[in-house]
Amino acid sequence: MTTVNSVVGSLELYSMPDLNNPSRPLKAIGTPLMSYRDGLVLLQGQPYKLQFPAMGRTYAAMVDDNSIVGAIVAALVTLSRLVDIQIDSPNDSPEAEAEEDWLESVIDDMDVSFEHALTAIYSFYVHGYSLSELVYKKRLGSGPYTRTPSKYNDGLYGISRLSARPQITLCGMYFNQDDTLDYVEQSTPDGDQVKIPGSRILYFRTQSYNGDPYGRSLLRSAYRDYLFVQRLSELAAIGVERNLVGLPVLYVPSELLNHQNDPQKLAMF
């Protein structure tokens, strides 16, 4: 038995692998995913509207249709954007400082501001995850024939933009055997489907719940309450429309119900 001490207590391990002679092959045998097939993760016990791909529209509706949810999400994104972005080099060597300066120049030279890109990234608060595609450019100045203008003319490669890939447009996420992202499949406005390599994707999640690649939305626990509020609001509006008098009642002459031996009354009934 091995004991590992931490700031929150001790963790007793009854079986500790030998890191000097690990078992081979050097890859996982099991998987953290509960049920994964054809780019979709099936979660037992979860409503269909809270599973991919339907959950994208569900959470978007919660933000758009409920004033409280929309205000909270807007406040959360606004506060997140106020956080200062700081780049620190690992040491004080000239090489490390040069790389720090280069990265700052890349962020400052993006065609779409980094703050705008962060706003799109923060959509993982709502959806549980967010994907942005890295779009590169070659820094060749800002001449009239330059495809992507740049503040610099050093011939290095920079980042043109971090282009968000909306959750409601995604068809699936596909993973390699080592659980790394292989590619993402997306529906385009033209009705086509494109594959974006995982090497070009920035991938964010709130947390990994049972290995779910789609994370866990911050709105998940509020979904049931949201359904009640929406339905009760609809019923209240219907009641007001009917002047809160209950069901409409139709009165008919009693002789109309006694239509025996009278073809005209029978036809009217």
Side-chain angles (χ1 to χ4, degrees):
M1 182 181 67
T2 303
T3 300
V4 179
N5 295 318
S6 68
V7 294
V8 295
S10 61
L11 176 65
E12 295 181 350
L13 304 178
Y14 287 87
S15 177
M16 183 68 180
D18 183 5
L19 298 182
N20 294 322
N21 186 24
S23 59
R24 291 174 172 78
L26 299 179
K27 64 179 183 180
I29 299 175
T31 175
L33 300 178
M34 293 185 295
S35 180
Y36 174 78
R37 183 177 60 195
D38 297 331
L40 302 179
V41 177
L42 306 177
L43 300 178
Q44 300 296 330
Q46 289 276 34
Y48 167 76
K49 288 188 175 182
L50 295 182
Q51 299 204 42
F52 182 88
M55 66 180 189
R57 299 189 181 278
T58 299
Y59 290 131
M62 291 180 66
V63 176
D64 295 336
D65 298 342
N66 188 282
S67 58
I68 296 178
V69 175
I72 291 176
V73 171
L76 184 59
V77 172
T78 301
L79 290 174
S80 299
R81 291 186 59 177
L82 294 178
V83 176
D84 293 331
I85 304 300
Q86 182 176 344
I87 302 174
D88 293 325
S89 56
N91 51 59
D92 296 332
S93 65
E95 294 81 5
E97 293 181 355
E99 290 183 356
E100 178 181 341
D101 294 338
W102 174 81
L103 183 56
E104 289 178 346
S105 71
V106 168
I107 293 178
D108 182 58
D109 192 40
M110 291 172 56
D111 300 338
V112 179
S113 69
F114 188 64
E115 289 75 14
H116 180 79
L118 284 178
T119 302
I121 290 172
Y122 291 146
S123 66
F124 73 85
Y125 291 147
V126 173
H127 297 275
Y129 73 103
S130 68
L131 302 176
S132 296
E133 181 180 352
L134 280 164
V135 182
Y136 299 95
K137 68 178 180 182
K138 197 167 185 178
R139 310 201 308 188
L140 299 175
S142 57
Y145 302 104
T146 305
R147 178 175 174 271
T148 52
S150 173
K151 300 178 182 179
Y152 306 92
N153 191 12
D154 50 17
L156 298 176
Y157 283 94
I159 297 176
S160 174
R161 60 188 181 276
L162 305 178
S163 185
R165 298 294 170 253
Q167 289 84 350
I168 61 175
T169 66
L170 301 180
C171 305
M173 297 170 60
Y174 297 82
F175 295 84
N176 299 310
Q177 292 183 350
D178 58 355
D179 298 326
T180 59
L181 183 61
D182 186 14
Y183 66 92
V184 174
E185 203 166 55
Q186 182 191 28
S187 295
T188 65
D190 298 330
D192 300 327
Q193 289 187 351
V194 295
K195 294 181 179 180
I196 308 173
S199 59
R200 296 191 57 164
I201 289 292
L202 290 179
Y203 174 32
F204 301 89
R205 283 185 295 181
T206 53
Q207 58 181 322
S208 177
Y209 178 72
N210 288 337
D212 186 356
Y214 305 111
R216 180 179 172 87
S217 168
L218 299 186
L219 306 182
R220 172 61 186 90
S221 299
Y223 175 69
R224 184 173 180 271
D225 298 328
Y226 163 80
L227 289 182
F228 276 104
V229 170
Q230 291 298 105
R231 186 54 180 156
L232 290 175
S233 299
E234 293 173 1
L235 292 175
I238 293 173
V240 172
E241 183 184 21
R242 294 178 176 176
N243 201 24
L244 298 177
V245 294
L247 297 176
V249 180
L250 176 66
Y251 294 92
V252 297
S254 59
E255 59 268 17
L256 184 61
L257 302 178
N258 186 17
H259 49 71
Q260 295 180 359
N261 302 322
D262 190 336
Q264 184 178 1
K265 288 184 179 181
L266 178 61
M268 189 177 296
F269 177 79

